[in-house]
Amino acid sequence: MDAIRTTCAYCGVGCGISATVTGKRTVEIAGDPDHPANRGRLCSKGTHLGETVELEGRLLHPIIGKKRASWDRALDLVAKRFKETISRHGPNSVAFYVSGQLLTEDYYVANKLMKGFIGTANIDTNSRLCMSSAVAGHMRAFGEDIVPATYNDLDAADLIVLVGSNTAWCHPVVYQRIRARCEAGAKLVVIDPRRTETAEEADLHLAIRPGSDVALMTGLLQHCREAGVVDEAYLTAHVAVPTDFWNQLGEGNDLWSVARTCDVSVADLRRFYELFAANPRTVTMFSQGINQSTAGTDQVNAILNLHLATGRIGKPGAAPFSITGQPNAMGGREVGGLASTLAAHMDFAPDNRARVQRFWAAPTIAEKPGLKAVDLFRAVGEGRIKALWVMATNPAVSMPDANRVHEALAACPFVVVSDVIEQTDTGAFAHVRLPAAAWGEKDGTVTNSDRTISRQRALFPLPGEAMPDWWIIKEVARRMGWKTAFAYDRPADIWREHCRLSTYDNDGSRIFALPGAAQGGNAAYDAMIPFRWGGEQIFADGNYPTDDGRARLVPVTQKPLADPLEKWPMTLNSGRYRDQWHTMTRTGLAPKLARHRAEPLVEVHPDDGLRLGLVDGSLARVETPQGDSIFRVAIHDGQRRGEVFVPIHWTERTSSGGRAGLLPRPLVDPVSGQPGFKRTPAKVEPVTPRWRGFLLLANELPDLPPCMWATRVAVPSGVMWELAGDGDLLAVEALLPRGQRVEADDRARGTRRIAVIANGRLTGALFVTETGELPPRDWLIAQLSAPDVAPTLLAGRAPGVQADHGAIICVCFDIGVKTIVAAVRERQLVDVASIGAALGAGTNCGSCRPALARILAEETSNAA
Ligand code: SF4
């Protein structure tokens, strides 16, 4: 079968994939060498997409309450309840909460239904949590939400500044491009409170105090002015500078004051400022560390101010670059899928509203911005939203203050969830669940971080009764009475309408426009190759989409940073792991991806570990005013003292602890409404269970194991649960399957080991101990798929001597840290390339290359 060109399901890099279907639900995945975003490269997540396309856990039929229903009944019910609610309580009593996982065509139909036909802007998206501060910052500075940079700018830059972005883990393919540029001589500066793998490879890392970004960037602007690198001619021609902008800037922005505020050395700060001043071709790439802040929009504008003031925009290798988290966050922005925008990059100005209403031939049009995510769920909790439709996202996990979101969903009179997964934390509250098409089944377009629009194409037929999101939404719209306006037969119909709206009554004042695309027929849509809207250098002519054609410098000032509180002395940060995505509904299916980080860890500085009695590998409770959760401790000197980091991926379905969403405050940026996930006051204390252990099963469990702490780990041919508990083991032992049991007890250490054998194969094992050691898991996990039971099963190891390869670093080739260290020492390997040549590590997806560099650096320093 011919390979199908499609795009990756995950991050905003938007890598092209060449997919060869090899069976009913099997596919071989390779990077698309012709896609401009990745030129054939994929990271570990994209590489292992093929492991996630089976139907395990899928929602395949509509469900009303707990019973399977026909599509007709389910759609009729959704339409009826939304209509009734609107007619009794008005349009503002209903809301949609959608997702950057939707394709542009899905997003377009949802936005049109809510804003043009229901008549409210109560449609917001999980992209609110990801990059809405970037949207707001762009609109303030440029007049329109425009990302001026492209990936090609990275290839041309002499200096790349990464701010609040662990690019090596979160956007690995772009990071490989950055590394390639650095190997050709560009300098890399990383600004991040944590010493991440990205920071470890930088020429300079500024581990600034969280939340001090405005001070850092404003001090840099002052330095640029004093160093004479402000581009006065560019400002005069193209930028509106508020009166007193420069006078206000000078106060408290000297090197020493800024170093104090940011808690970095004057020498490092000076080095950064001098590097920036000396390199006109600078790209400043920023991500969640900037956006997810209660001052996110000001932080964005502090960066945009710098680029505008130095004229570093609209030129090759010189641009501010907001990189998005989700695969189609940008497509959502283009259709207007945020509550704060109307459609096609238009806001709610009267002429825009009239234009969009006219184009849609809509009976009404939303008058003003709707409720943004945090306010939306608050309104659900207060009973102001009475019917809510959640599409392709899991707010019960991902919203801040998740306990309140649970209460709100439980109290909402009517909740609809369209999803690909049957059991999700949010789906548990749904009155109606609608089975949506997943990646590999749906057709449409996505826009990546550098404005490149690509097709996502179906690889498999729709399974069960699953249907694409656009179809589900338009069927509800038609049942609500708007048959003609939603008479779409295929995604191409919607795409053409979206393109026509982008150019409708557009005299050039809106940069977002897809002129040629509107004319193509279905065949052209099917054959679409990736293209970038807006061109390569979008502001090359210095014209901005504002009333006077000028960009704006926006005055911003650093907010005071409060000292830690006595009761909450630590600062909590959260983020992603390299090989997991969001709430792991897809990546959690791939055992290989669990090997990089199998459990949710709380990373703690060694001094804090000592002070708080936290030992590496033990458990700790992280508590905030909003809730608490238990994580495995990882002592890591890349953390700043007094600050801890946890991952965002684990849910109520996959861990009784490790749930980051329970912890942040629902505080938001006043302009963008984006929650400030990155700086939550917290306390951390050790948790000492009586026993710890693990449970290995050939089959999934319906519920979490009943003990103090349990975390699911995907393994080949089964599932593993890491456990800890206080009570007796009977309830956990009861989870073992039926079969022949072999057991061993060591009362002195409180150790108990049980293996269950059925039909000559291992089907379950439980290993626990109070004071003893537990065996490494790899060999036992492999026994789940072994044809014969090994006699040493209860020893947890193979007969004879067993090589210990250490924690897996390269998931593509299963190469552990001990193997790599041994090879570096014995074969005197000196760089990442020579490790690749010797072992293969880092030669496929490249995601582990920063980790290989770190191991080399440690070995070099040990040898010295
Ligand atoms: Fe997918 Fe990785 Fe590319 Fe992101 S960098 S789009 S996760 S392959």
Side-chain angles (χ1 to χ4, degrees), residues 687-739:
V687 172
T688 317
R690 190 169 62 78
W691 56 263
R692 63 210 150 73
F694 61 91
L695 174 67
L696 197 56
L697 296 168
N699 293 316
E700 288 283 352
L701 292 174
D703 298 302
L704 296 181
C707 53
M708 174 205 280
W709 191 77
T711 289
R712 182 187 180 281
V713 182
V715 300
S717 305
V719 63
M720 182 171 72
W721 291 89
E722 291 287 342
L723 307 172
D726 269 338
D728 68 37
L729 278 174
L730 288 177
V732 179
E733 284 188 32
L735 302 175
L736 287 166
R738 286 166 191 267

Coordinates of all heavy atoms in Angstrom, one line a residue, residues 687-739:
V687 N 6.0 11.1 52.9 CA 4.9 10.2 53.2 C 5.6 8.8 53.4 O 6.4 8.4 52.6 CB 3.9 10.1 52.0 CG1 2.9 9.0 52.2 CG2 3.2 11.4 51.8
T688 N 5.3 8.2 54.5 CA 5.9 6.9 54.8 C 4.9 5.8 54.9 O 4.3 5.6 55.9 CB 6.7 7.1 56.2 OG1 7.3 8.3 56.2 CG2 7.7 6.0 56.3
P689 N 4.7 5.1 53.8 CA 3.8 4.0 53.8 C 4.4 2.8 54.6 O 5.6 2.8 54.7 CB 3.6 3.7 52.3 CG 4.9 4.1 51.7 CD 5.4 5.3 52.5
R690 N 3.6 1.9 55.0 CA 4.1 0.7 55.7 C 4.8 -0.2 54.7 O 5.8 -0.8 55.0 CB 3.0 0.0 56.4 CG 3.4 -1.1 57.4 CD 2.3 -1.6 58.2 NE 1.2 -2.2 57.5 CZ 1.3 -3.5 57.0 NH1 2.3 -4.2 57.1 NH2 0.2 -3.9 56.3
W691 N 4.2 -0.3 53.5 CA 4.8 -1.2 52.5 C 4.8 -0.5 51.1 O 4.0 0.4 50.9 CB 4.1 -2.6 52.5 CG 2.6 -2.5 52.2 CD1 1.6 -2.5 53.2 CD2 1.9 -2.3 51.0 NE1 0.4 -2.4 52.6 CE2 0.5 -2.3 51.2 CE3 2.3 -2.2 49.6 CZ2 -0.4 -2.2 50.2 CZ3 1.4 -2.1 48.6 CH2 0.0 -2.1 48.9
R692 N 5.6 -1.1 50.3 CA 5.6 -0.6 48.9 C 5.8 -1.8 48.0 O 6.3 -2.8 48.5 CB 6.7 0.5 48.7 CG 8.1 -0.1 48.9 CD 9.1 1.0 49.4 NE 10.1 0.4 50.2 CZ 11.0 -0.4 49.8 NH1 11.2 -0.5 48.5 NH2 11.9 -0.9 50.6
G693 N 5.5 -1.7 46.7 CA 5.6 -2.8 45.9 C 5.0 -2.6 44.5 O 4.9 -1.4 44.1
F694 N 4.8 -3.7 43.8 CA 4.2 -3.5 42.4 C 3.3 -4.7 42.1 O 3.5 -5.8 42.6 CB 5.2 -3.3 41.4 CG 6.2 -4.4 41.2 CD1 6.0 -5.4 40.3 CD2 7.4 -4.4 41.9 CE1 6.9 -6.4 40.1 CE2 8.3 -5.4 41.8 CZ 8.1 -6.5 40.9
L695 N 2.4 -4.4 41.2 CA 1.4 -5.5 40.8 C 1.5 -5.5 39.3 O 1.4 -4.5 38.6 CB 0.0 -5.0 41.3 CG -1.2 -5.8 40.8 CD1 -1.2 -7.2 41.5 CD2 -2.5 -5.1 41.2
L696 N 1.7 -6.8 38.8 CA 1.8 -7.0 37.4 C 0.7 -7.8 36.9 O 0.4 -8.9 37.5 CB 3.2 -7.7 37.1 CG 3.8 -7.7 35.8 CD1 4.0 -6.3 35.3 CD2 5.2 -8.5 35.9
L697 N 0.0 -7.4 35.9 CA -1.2 -8.1 35.4 C -1.2 -8.2 33.9 O -0.8 -7.3 33.2 CB -2.5 -7.4 35.9 CG -2.7 -7.3 37.4 CD1 -3.8 -6.3 37.7 CD2 -3.0 -8.6 38.0
A698 N -1.8 -9.3 33.4 CA -1.9 -9.5 32.0 C -3.1 -8.7 31.5 O -3.2 -8.3 30.3 CB -2.1 -10.9 31.6
N699 N -4.1 -8.4 32.4 CA -5.3 -7.6 32.0 C -5.4 -6.3 32.8 O -4.9 -6.2 33.9 CB -6.5 -8.5 32.3 CG -6.6 -9.7 31.3 OD1 -6.3 -9.6 30.2 ND2 -6.8 -10.9 31.9
E700 N -6.2 -5.4 32.2 CA -6.4 -4.1 32.8 C -7.3 -4.3 34.0 O -8.1 -5.3 34.1 CB -7.1 -3.2 31.9 CG -6.2 -2.6 30.8 CD -5.3 -1.5 31.2 OE1 -5.4 -1.1 32.4 OE2 -4.4 -1.1 30.5
L701 N -7.3 -3.4 35.0 CA -8.2 -3.4 36.1 C -9.3 -2.4 35.8 O -9.1 -1.4 35.2 CB -7.5 -2.9 37.4 CG -6.5 -3.9 38.0 CD1 -5.8 -3.2 39.1 CD2 -7.1 -5.2 38.4
P702 N -10.6 -2.6 36.3 CA -11.6 -1.7 36.1 C -11.4 -0.4 36.9 O -11.8 0.7 36.5 CB -12.9 -2.4 36.5 CG -12.4 -3.5 37.4 CD -11.0 -3.9 37.0
D703 N -10.8 -0.5 38.1 CA -10.6 0.6 39.0 C -9.1 0.6 39.5 O -8.4 -0.4 39.3 CB -11.5 0.5 40.2 CG -12.9 0.6 39.8 OD1 -13.3 1.5 39.1 OD2 -13.7 -0.4 40.0
L704 N -8.8 1.7 40.2 CA -7.4 1.8 40.8 C -7.3 0.7 41.9 O -8.3 0.4 42.6 CB -7.2 3.1 41.4 CG -7.2 4.3 40.5 CD1 -6.9 5.6 41.4 CD2 -6.1 4.2 39.5
P705 N -6.1 0.1 42.1 CA -6.0 -0.8 43.3 C -6.3 0.0 44.6 O -5.9 1.2 44.7 CB -4.5 -1.1 43.2 CG -4.1 -0.9 41.7 CD -4.9 0.2 41.3
P706 N -6.9 -0.7 45.5 CA -7.3 0.0 46.8 C -6.1 0.1 47.8 O -6.0 -0.8 48.7 CB -8.4 -1.0 47.3 CG -8.0 -2.3 46.8 CD -7.3 -2.1 45.5
C707 N -5.3 1.1 47.6 CA -4.2 1.3 48.6 C -3.9 2.8 48.6 O -4.4 3.5 47.8 CB -3.0 0.4 48.3 SG -2.4 0.6 46.6
M708 N -3.0 3.2 49.5 CA -2.7 4.6 49.6 C -2.3 5.3 48.3 O -2.7 6.4 48.0 CB -1.6 4.7 50.7 CG -1.0 6.1 50.8 SD 0.6 6.1 51.5 CE 0.4 5.8 53.2
W709 N -1.4 4.6 47.6 CA -0.9 5.2 46.3 C -0.7 4.1 45.3 O -0.2 3.0 45.5 CB 0.5 5.8 46.7 CG 1.1 6.6 45.6 CD1 0.7 7.9 45.3 CD2 2.1 6.3 44.7 NE1 1.5 8.4 44.2 CE2 2.4 7.4 43.8 CE3 2.9 5.1 44.5 CZ2 3.3 7.4 42.8 CZ3 3.8 5.1 43.4 CH2 4.0 6.3 42.7
A710 N -1.2 4.4 44.1 CA -1.1 3.4 43.0 C -1.0 4.2 41.7 O -1.7 5.2 41.5 CB -2.4 2.6 42.9
T711 N 0.0 3.8 40.9 CA 0.2 4.5 39.6 C 0.3 3.4 38.5 O 1.1 2.5 38.6 CB 1.4 5.4 39.7 OG1 1.2 6.5 40.5 CG2 1.8 5.9 38.3
R712 N -0.4 3.6 37.4 CA -0.4 2.7 36.3 C 0.8 2.9 35.4 O 1.1 4.1 35.1 CB -1.7 2.9 35.5 CG -1.9 1.9 34.3 CD -3.1 2.3 33.5 NE -3.3 1.5 32.4 CZ -2.6 1.6 31.2 NH1 -1.7 2.5 31.1 NH2 -2.8 0.7 30.2
V713 N 1.4 1.8 35.0 CA 2.5 1.9 34.0 C 2.1 1.0 32.8 O 1.9 -0.2 33.1 CB 3.8 1.5 34.6 CG1 5.0 1.7 33.6 CG2 4.1 2.3 35.9
A714 N 2.1 1.5 31.6 CA 1.9 0.6 30.5 C 3.1 -0.3 30.3 O 4.2 0.2 30.3 CB 1.6 1.5 29.2
V715 N 2.9 -1.6 30.1 CA 4.0 -2.5 29.8 C 3.5 -3.4 28.7 O 2.3 -3.6 28.5 CB 4.4 -3.3 31.1 CG1 4.8 -2.4 32.2 CG2 3.2 -4.3 31.5
P716 N 4.5 -4.1 28.0 CA 4.1 -5.0 26.9 C 3.3 -6.1 27.5 O 3.6 -6.7 28.5 CB 5.4 -5.5 26.3 CG 6.4 -4.5 26.8 CD 6.0 -3.9 28.1
S717 N 2.2 -6.5 26.8 CA 1.3 -7.6 27.1 C 0.7 -7.5 28.5 O 0.3 -8.5 29.1 CB 2.1 -9.0 27.2 OG 2.8 -9.2 26.0
G718 N 0.5 -6.3 29.0 CA -0.2 -6.2 30.3 C -0.1 -4.8 30.8 O 0.0 -3.8 30.1
V719 N -0.2 -4.7 32.2 CA -0.1 -3.4 32.9 C 0.6 -3.7 34.2 O 0.5 -4.7 34.8 CB -1.6 -2.9 33.0 CG1 -2.4 -3.8 33.9 CG2 -1.6 -1.5 33.6
M720 N 1.3 -2.6 34.6 CA 1.9 -2.7 36.0 C 1.4 -1.5 36.8 O 1.1 -0.5 36.3 CB 3.4 -2.6 35.8 CG 4.1 -2.7 37.2 SD 5.9 -2.9 36.9 CE 6.3 -1.3 36.4
W721 N 1.2 -1.8 38.1 CA 0.8 -0.8 39.0 C 1.9 -0.7 40.1 O 2.2 -1.7 40.8 CB -0.5 -1.1 39.7 CG -1.7 -1.0 38.8 CD1 -2.2 -2.0 38.0 CD2 -2.5 0.2 38.6 NE1 -3.3 -1.5 37.3 CE2 -3.5 -0.2 37.6 CE3 -2.5 1.5 39.0 CZ2 -4.4 0.7 37.1 CZ3 -3.4 2.4 38.6 CH2 -4.4 2.0 37.7
E722 N 2.5 0.5 40.2 CA 3.4 0.7 41.3 C 2.5 1.1 42.5 O 1.6 1.9 42.4 CB 4.4 1.9 41.0 CG 5.4 1.6 40.0 CD 6.5 0.7 40.5 OE1 6.7 0.5 41.7 OE2 7.2 0.1 39.6
L723 N 2.8 0.5 43.7 CA 1.9 0.6 44.8 C 2.7 1.1 46.1 O 3.9 0.8 46.2 CB 1.3 -0.7 45.1 CG 0.6 -1.5 44.0 CD1 0.2 -2.9 44.4 CD2 -0.6 -0.7 43.5
A724 N 1.9 1.6 47.0 CA 2.4 1.8 48.4 C 1.1 1.8 49.3 O 0.1 2.3 48.8 CB 3.1 3.1 48.5
G725 N 1.3 1.3 50.5 CA 0.1 1.2 51.3 C 0.4 1.2 52.8 O 1.5 1.0 53.2
D726 N -0.7 1.3 53.6 CA -0.6 1.3 55.0 C -1.3 0.1 55.6 O -0.9 -0.5 56.6 CB -1.2 2.5 55.7 CG -0.2 3.6 55.9 OD1 1.0 3.3 55.9 OD2 -0.6 4.8 55.9
G727 N -2.4 -0.3 54.9 CA -3.3 -1.4 55.4 C -2.7 -2.7 55.0 O -1.6 -2.9 54.6
D728 N -3.6 -3.8 55.3 CA -3.1 -5.1 54.9 C -3.3 -5.3 53.4 O -3.9 -4.4 52.7 CB -3.9 -6.2 55.7 CG -5.3 -6.3 55.4 OD1 -5.6 -6.1 54.2 OD2 -6.2 -6.5 56.3
L729 N -2.8 -6.4 53.0 CA -2.7 -6.6 51.5 C -3.8 -7.3 50.9 O -3.8 -7.5 49.7 CB -1.4 -7.4 51.2 CG -0.1 -6.7 51.2 CD1 1.1 -7.7 51.1 CD2 -0.1 -5.7 50.0
L730 N -4.8 -7.8 51.7 CA -5.8 -8.7 51.2 C -6.6 -8.1 50.0 O -6.8 -8.8 49.0 CB -6.8 -9.0 52.3 CG -6.2 -10.0 53.4 CD1 -7.3 -10.2 54.5 CD2 -5.8 -11.3 52.8
A731 N -6.9 -6.8 50.1 CA -7.7 -6.2 49.0 C -6.9 -6.2 47.7 O -7.4 -6.3 46.6 CB -8.2 -4.9 49.4
V732 N -5.6 -5.9 47.9 CA -4.7 -5.9 46.7 C -4.5 -7.3 46.1 O -4.6 -7.5 44.9 CB -3.4 -5.2 47.0 CG1 -2.5 -5.2 45.8 CG2 -3.6 -3.8 47.5
E733 N -4.3 -8.3 47.0 CA -4.1 -9.7 46.6 C -5.3 -10.1 45.8 O -5.2 -10.9 44.9 CB -3.9 -10.6 47.8 CG -2.5 -10.5 48.3 CD -2.2 -11.5 49.4 OE1 -2.7 -12.6 49.3 OE2 -1.4 -11.2 50.3
A734 N -6.5 -9.6 46.2 CA -7.7 -10.1 45.6 C -7.8 -9.7 44.1 O -8.6 -10.2 43.4 CB -8.9 -9.5 46.3
L735 N -6.9 -8.7 43.7 CA -6.9 -8.3 42.3 C -6.2 -9.3 41.4 O -6.3 -9.2 40.2 CB -6.3 -6.9 42.2 CG -6.9 -5.8 43.0 CD1 -6.1 -4.5 42.9 CD2 -8.4 -5.5 42.5
L736 N -5.4 -10.2 42.0 CA -4.7 -11.1 41.2 C -5.7 -12.1 40.5 O -6.7 -12.4 41.0 CB -3.7 -12.0 42.0 CG -2.5 -11.2 42.5 CD1 -1.8 -11.9 43.6 CD2 -1.5 -10.9 41.3
P737 N -5.4 -12.5 39.3 CA -6.3 -13.4 38.5 C -6.3 -14.8 39.2 O -5.5 -15.1 40.0 CB -5.8 -13.4 37.1 CG -4.3 -13.1 37.3 CD -4.2 -12.2 38.5
R738 N -7.3 -15.6 38.7 CA -7.4 -17.0 39.2 C -6.3 -17.7 38.5 O -5.9 -17.4 37.4 CB -8.7 -17.6 38.8 CG -9.9 -17.2 39.6 CD -11.2 -17.6 39.0 NE -12.3 -16.9 39.6 CZ -13.0 -17.5 40.6 NH1 -12.7 -18.7 41.0 NH2 -14.0 -16.9 41.2
G739 N -5.8 -18.8 39.1 CA -4.8 -19.6 38.5 C -4.0 -20.3 39.6 O -4.2 -20.1 40.8

